[in-house]
């Protein structure tokens, strides 16, 4: 498997490499880094849900691809710590059409805006992205829109560093914001 050097390039701005790192087209279920279409200076990381030509829709919180429901099964509750606040979010597994099993978070039911979307038809040369934290993700359902192939940087392989979002300008807060249990974990 190819190991990507995106983090080094991103962090250190190494000039010897530019362009897409991925040597092949992404597959449904891949977690990828891409340039935000409205502002390519911003990088996003999301999961590929829709491929060119696919029809994607969310109905009552369930994702449908090409008219078929993506099976979703409850696993347990995930303890999410953000800004020093812990909340419990239901965690589910979904099985994508090709058989890949992914884990998502889904806390809001009912008439929440992300639970019922129009049908999106993914244009040629573009992809439909969704975050795994389905109710807390700016993705293709919202302001990201379809992601052109030329905006793809590479497949995400490993989490190098993670914080809970609670750090401030005070350096003392930086240590308490670290989430070392996520350091160096493989992205699935």
């Amino acid at each position: 498997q190819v190991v990507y050097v995106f983090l080094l390039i991103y962090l250190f701005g190494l000039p010897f490499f530019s362009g897409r790192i991925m040597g092949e087209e992404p597959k449904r279920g891949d977690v990828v880094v891409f340039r935000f279409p409205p502002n390519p200076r911003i990088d996003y990381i999301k999961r590929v849900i829709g491929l060119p030509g696919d029809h994607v829709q969310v109905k009552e919180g369930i994702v449908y691809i090409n008219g078929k429901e993506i099976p979703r099964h409850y696993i347990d509750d995930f303890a999410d710590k953000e800004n020093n606040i812990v909340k419990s979010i239901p965690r589910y597994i979904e099985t994508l059409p090709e058989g890949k099993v992914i884990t998502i978070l889904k806390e809001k039911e009912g008439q929440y805006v992300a639970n019922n979307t129009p049908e999106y038809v993914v244009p040629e040369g573009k992809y439909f992205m969704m975050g795994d934290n389905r109710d807390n993700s700016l993705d293709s359902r919202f302001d990201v829109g379809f992601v052109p192939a030329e905006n793809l940087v590479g497949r995400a392989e490993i989490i190098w560093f993670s914080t809970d979002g609670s750090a401030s300008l005070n350096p003392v807060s930086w240590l308490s914001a670290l989430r070392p249990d996520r350091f160096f974990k493989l992205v699935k």
Side-chain angles (χ1 to χ4, degrees):
Q1 188 173 21
V2 178
V3 177
Y4 299 118
V5 293
F6 171 73
L7 182 63
L8 292 173
I9 295 164
Y10 181 76
L11 290 177
F12 302 108
L14 298 177
F16 59 85
F17 186 87
S18 65
R20 197 166 112 205
I21 299 168
M22 205 178 271
E24 58 188 44
E25 295 301 312
K27 297 177 189 71
R28 187 185 330 277
D30 284 350
V31 177
V32 298
V33 176
F34 60 92
R35 290 181 196 91
F36 180 49
N39 183 354
R41 294 179 53 186
I42 299 172
D43 290 327
Y44 268 43
I45 183 168
K46 302 287 178 195
R47 189 175 299 278
V48 176
I49 294 295
L51 302 172
D54 280 347
H55 294 239
V56 179
Q57 186 172 17
V58 180
K59 295 189 249 179
E60 297 181 14
I62 303 293
V63 177
Y64 288 76
I65 299 175
N66 298 323
K68 294 184 180 171
E69 178 180 329
I70 302 304
R72 181 178 85 181
H73 303 284
Y74 174 79
I75 304 172
D76 58 15
D77 284 344
F78 174 75
D80 185 33
K81 179 184 175 197
E82 188 171 324
N83 296 317
N84 289 320
I85 298 170
V86 179
K87 66 179 178 177
S88 183
I89 302 174
R91 184 168 28 190
Y92 297 87
I93 59 168
E94 286 182 341
T95 305
L96 299 176
E98 294 79 8
K100 182 170 182 130
V101 176
I102 63 173
T103 303
I104 67 155
L105 299 178
K106 184 80 179 92
E107 64 181 311
K108 296 179 182 166
E109 300 298 335
Q111 295 303 309
Y112 180 63
V113 66
N115 285 342
N116 294 290
T117 69
E119 181 178 69
Y120 301 97
V121 180
V122 185
E124 279 305 310
K126 298 191 178 183
Y127 297 88
F128 190 91
M129 309 293 186
M130 288 181 78
D132 289 346
N133 188 345
R134 293 289 168 78
D135 298 327
N136 190 16
S137 178
L138 294 177
D139 53 35
S140 290
R141 296 171 292 173
F142 305 108
D143 61 341
V144 171
F146 299 113
V147 177
E150 60 268 15
N151 285 43
L152 300 177
V153 174
R155 198 170 48 236
E157 297 285 342
I158 191 166
I159 298 170
W160 292 95
F161 187 81
S162 181
T163 70
D164 67 8
S166 66
S168 67
L169 293 176
N170 179 353
V172 174
S173 70
W174 300 351
L175 285 176
S176 65
L178 293 177
R179 295 190 289 197
D181 58 314
R182 294 187 181 191
F183 290 11
F184 306 110
K185 288 228 173 166
L186 295 177
V187 176
K188 297 179 183 179

